[in-house]
Amino acid sequence: ELLWCSYTHNIGAGIANIDANDNIYLFYDQNTASVGEIHPQALTKLSSDGGSIIETIPFTPETTYQNIYNDAVGNFYFFGKTSSTTIGTAGTFNPTRNTFFNTEPFVEKYDSNMNKLWGTYLTRDNPEYSGLNNTDIISVSDSGEMFFSGEVKTNGLSTSEVYQENLESLSNNYAMKLNTDGALEWFTYHGGNAVTIRGSGVFSNNSWFVTGTTESLDSSGITTTNGL
């Protein structure tokens, strides 16, 4: 049964999330707003019944936010692309913007009061690697670890002693984990000796599950002996 429905006076597709108290967080992917409307590139917090705006929080200039995630303790994670040089913070995966690209993907973490905890760009110093994009898979564990999966065509990105350390075809899947401070914990390729592209991913029961498609006729690097 429908409990309630409200207009929000915005245009374009919206992205939403809720906190532990069922308050609703909204932002929109359009860059214009009519007089009197909530600015699309601001985060709007609504009450749990949709009846009132609790607060509106402006976002970083020169930045387009594309998705919002949350963990079990009330922290929020914002993914998007930016030309700003002020997103990154010390000690994270990549605190410094790579000016080789016009815009870069990034993640910022905020607490439940919208205080910024850290931010990182998602490129590396390799100019051939443009980082994540909005079609890559992102999951956040209850404790705030971030998991990423997608397609990659650049070698030399993995950490040591992981499942697959080298790119073995024109493209492979990858999986990457950032810890709760936004630093890289591991990066692995996955996909064997033929083109392998992203599918979907989910974090559950302390495990990271990733799907995809492959053109490989050799099962090494893809299947295991006890698989279906």
Side-chain angles (χ1 to χ4, degrees):
E1 298 291 339
L2 179 65
L3 300 181
W4 57 262
C5 180
S6 174
Y7 294 105
T8 57
H9 305 291
N10 285 88
I11 58 174
I15 297 171
N17 213 319
I18 61 172
D19 63 20
N21 297 316
D22 288 338
N23 296 311
I24 304 154
Y25 298 81
L26 299 172
F27 66 91
Y28 292 79
D29 63 2
Q30 298 294 314
N31 291 318
T32 60
S34 301
V35 175
E37 291 184 340
I38 301 167
H39 192 280
Q41 283 299 301
L43 181 69
T44 301
K45 182 178 180 181
L46 303 178
S47 61
S48 59
D49 61 2
S52 62
I53 296 174
I54 298 174
E55 60 182 325
T56 300
I57 303 162
F59 279 142
T60 306
E62 306 170 310
T63 298
T64 299
Y65 291 80
Q66 297 171 316
N67 219 327
I68 179 174
Y69 307 87
N70 63 293
D71 60 27
V73 295
N75 299 309
F76 290 92
Y77 304 79
F78 296 98
F79 170 76
K81 291 193 174 183
T82 186
S83 59
S84 171
T85 59
T86 63
I87 294 289
T89 55
T92 59
F93 173 70
N94 186 2
T96 305
R97 172 156 149 60
N98 187 343
T99 55
F100 183 85
F101 304 102
N102 292 329
T103 61
E104 287 193 64
F106 71 91
V107 165
E108 287 182 304
K109 179 179 179 178
Y110 288 79
D111 65 19
S112 57
N113 295 315
M114 287 302 137
N115 298 306
K116 182 174 176 177
L117 301 178
W118 53 258
T120 180
Y121 300 99
L122 292 169
T123 56
R124 301 291 287 272
D125 55 5
N126 189 323
E128 296 179 356
Y129 178 62
S130 59
L132 280 71
N133 57 64
N134 63 345
T135 60
D136 286 8
I137 307 302
I138 303 175
S139 293
V140 180
S141 71
D142 286 346
S143 59
E145 299 164 316
M146 300 197 73
F147 295 81
F148 303 82
S149 179
E151 181 184 6
V152 65
K153 299 180 180 180
T154 306
N155 209 352
L157 301 175
S158 71
T159 53
S160 61
E161 300 181 0
V162 290
Y163 176 74
Q164 180 181 318
E165 293 191 14
N166 296 302
L167 185 73
E168 296 184 2
S169 180
L170 177 64
S171 73
N172 278 166
N173 270 349
Y174 76 87
M176 180 176 82
K177 177 183 178 181
L178 301 185
N179 65 23
T180 56
D181 295 320
L184 178 65
E185 189 159 322
W186 51 256
F187 184 114
T188 182
Y189 298 99
H190 176 253
N193 61 6
V195 173
T196 305
I197 60 174
R198 60 183 168 265
S200 61
V202 64
F203 184 87
S204 178
N205 296 324
N206 203 34
S207 296
W208 173 230
F209 298 86
V210 179
T211 72
T213 59
T214 184
E215 297 176 3
S216 177
L217 299 178
D218 180 1
S219 62
S220 62
I222 299 175
T223 62
T224 54
T225 55
N226 61 342
L228 177 65

